[in-house]
Amino acid sequence: MTGTTTGITVAIIPARGGSKGVPGKNLRRVGGVSLVERAVRATATADGIDLVVVSTDDERIAAVAHAAGARTIARTAELSGDTASSESALLHALDVLEADGIRVATVVFVQATSPFLPSAGIAEAAAHIAAGRFDSVFSAHETYGFLWRRDGDGNAVAINHVAAHRPRRQDREPHYLETGAFYAFDAEGFRAAGHRFFGRIGIVEVPASTAIEIDDEQQLALADALARAAGDALAPHNIGDLRNLGTIPADGSETAQNSERADATNPAPAGIAASARIPASVLVTDFDGVHTDDTAFVDSEGRETVRVSREDGMGVSRLRRAGIPMLILSTEQNPVVARRAEKLQVPVLHGVDDKASALAAWADENGIALTDIAYVGNDVNDLGPLGLVGWPIAVADAHPAVKAVARVVLSRGGGRGAVREVIERMLPR
């Protein structure tokens, strides 16, 4: 056994920006929370984890991970391609930490693509390595399944059983299916082996319901459906044992008849009214389609006018008096945007091509955590910023792609009181 008497336990989450099967996978949301944020928060709540690190080549992923409480390490291009191994990213992260004077004794390798990470299982894995019981461990669930393969002629061949003998389940020895959710190993032994499996290998058994891994759109949709179901009922007989998922909220986007959890660490009971408070501390909105109904009137001189809601104006006034910061972020370089922002006494960034980068820079300049921001959008050019913030919100008449990633879907449309609705739900009660 390799000793682990000195150094800390570090969880490393490799999360590159590229993904062929699911574009932007690590920023896609399950239950209203991006995969990388779910991984950071579930890992950070596990006992025995001293530091959570996200290794990434993507600035947006880095911003979300940092806001969730992780240290980020910039991964080089040669370690970020489709053929780069996870081990190479882990070794690079260890090198960076070591160069900073951080001695790592135990590594917990966590996959962001597993949305239902059991914090207790991660803690158990780290404890096994720290105590010297194993050199490496992995998450797996028990299975009594009959496995088969095809031979060169296409015939079925039994793998873990004799085809002519079909014993009862209670008479069979269980096997363990690797989930890919997390691994843990001694850091020194990992450097020597160059692989996650070496020495004495142990199993951390986890519920089968936590074994979903996101490799395609269908799996992402299934995971999101499970998260939504868990928001309504956590009972094991409904959707499996989803009670051991750390502190990640299992909420989905809401409609006027549905609900979301009141906040990430103090979930509200199922069935909460659609008027439940949104505990964001900063409001950022798009302009067209949010403050307006996304139509414009053009006169014979080519001048544009738009329709806005006086009700929204009163809401913004109340927000200012409450001391809650607000920003309008728009791709349009149009005098009407600037004039409306001036009327509302709200700062504005307009004529912005990359809204996600602009929002991240503005938040950093003002010392605002992205997780504290509620962003209200309506169309596909809002998907970038919606993927960064803690509270992505869609107006009632938003594009379907926007509603799909939203944590909250408002009951009112753009230019028809949507801004007032979200403000009323953000104000202290």
Side-chain angles (χ1 to χ4, degrees), residues 346-373:
V346 170
V348 60
L349 295 176
H350 59 127
V352 175
D353 291 328
D354 186 348
K355 297 173 79 171
S357 295
L359 176 59
W362 177 82
D364 184 64
E365 290 170 4
N366 290 275
I368 297 170
L370 290 167
T371 51
D372 292 335
I373 297 175

Side-chain angles (χ1 to χ4, degrees), residues 205 238 240 305:
E205 189 173 347
N238 275 350
T305 58

Side-chain angles (χ1 to χ4, degrees), residues 378-389:
N378 76 301
D379 215 331
V380 293
N381 62 344
D382 293 310
L383 292 175
L386 286 167
L388 291 179
V389 302

Side-chain angles (χ1 to χ4, degrees), residues 146-403:
F146 294 101
L147 300 180
W148 297 78
R149 66 175 178 84
R150 287 191 178 96
D151 64 15
D153 297 323
N155 297 316
V157 179
I159 294 177
N160 64 341
H161 64 289
V162 177
H165 178 57
R166 184 55 59 108
R168 299 176 303 170
R169 184 180 187 277
Q170 58 266 39
D171 296 329
R172 298 184 62 213
E173 177 187 1
H175 293 89
Y176 292 89
L177 181 63
E178 184 181 335
T179 70
F182 61 85
Y183 308 81
F185 31 80
D186 172 75
E188 184 179 340
F190 172 64
R191 281 190 177 279
H195 195 271
R196 71 194 74 174
F197 295 118
F198 58 90
R200 292 183 58 197
I201 301 172
I203 295 172
V204 176
E205 189 173 347
V206 298
S209 57
T210 69
I212 296 175
E213 190 170 11
I214 308 300
D215 287 319
D216 57 39
E217 293 286 351
Q218 290 73 26
Q219 290 166 331
L220 182 66
L222 173 60
D224 190 55
L226 283 172
R228 292 169 186 264
D232 293 331
L234 292 174
H237 65 272
N238 275 350
I239 55 174
D241 188 4
L242 295 180
R243 295 170 295 177
N244 193 27
L245 307 184
T247 61
I248 302 304
D251 60 330
S253 60
E254 65 160 13
T255 63
Q257 293 77 35
N258 213 337
S259 64
E260 78 284 343
R261 292 183 182 270
D263 61 57
T265 58
N266 184 26
I272 189 170
S275 59
R277 185 170 183 270
I278 296 172
S281 59
V282 179
L283 176 62
V284 179
T285 72
D286 184 21
F287 185 76
D288 290 320
V290 175
H291 288 263
T292 78
D293 60 3
D294 216 17
T295 60
F297 303 95
V298 183
D299 66 15
S300 60
E301 302 297 324
R303 293 180 296 237
E304 289 188 5
T305 58
V306 297
R307 176 184 180 275
V308 296
S309 168
R310 291 187 181 276
E311 185 180 5
D312 287 347
M314 177 59 72
V316 172
S317 176
R318 296 192 65 202
L319 195 74
R320 286 202 320 272
R321 289 198 297 271
I324 297 176
M326 181 176 175
L327 172 73
I328 294 174
L329 184 62
S330 176
T331 56
E332 290 291 326
Q333 183 69 53
N334 193 320
V336 73
V337 181
R339 291 298 300 274
R340 181 58 177 168
E342 181 182 0
K343 172 76 173 178
L344 296 175
Q345 300 179 48
V346 170
V348 60
L349 295 176
H350 59 127
V352 175
D353 291 328
D354 186 348
K355 297 173 79 171
S357 295
L359 176 59
W362 177 82
D364 184 64
E365 290 170 4
N366 290 275
I368 297 170
L370 290 167
T371 51
D372 292 335
I373 297 175
Y375 182 93
V376 186
N378 76 301
D379 215 331
V380 293
N381 62 344
D382 293 310
L383 292 175
L386 286 167
L388 291 179
V389 302
W391 285 88
I393 299 173
V395 296
D397 50 354
H399 188 280
V402 172
K403 290 184 177 181

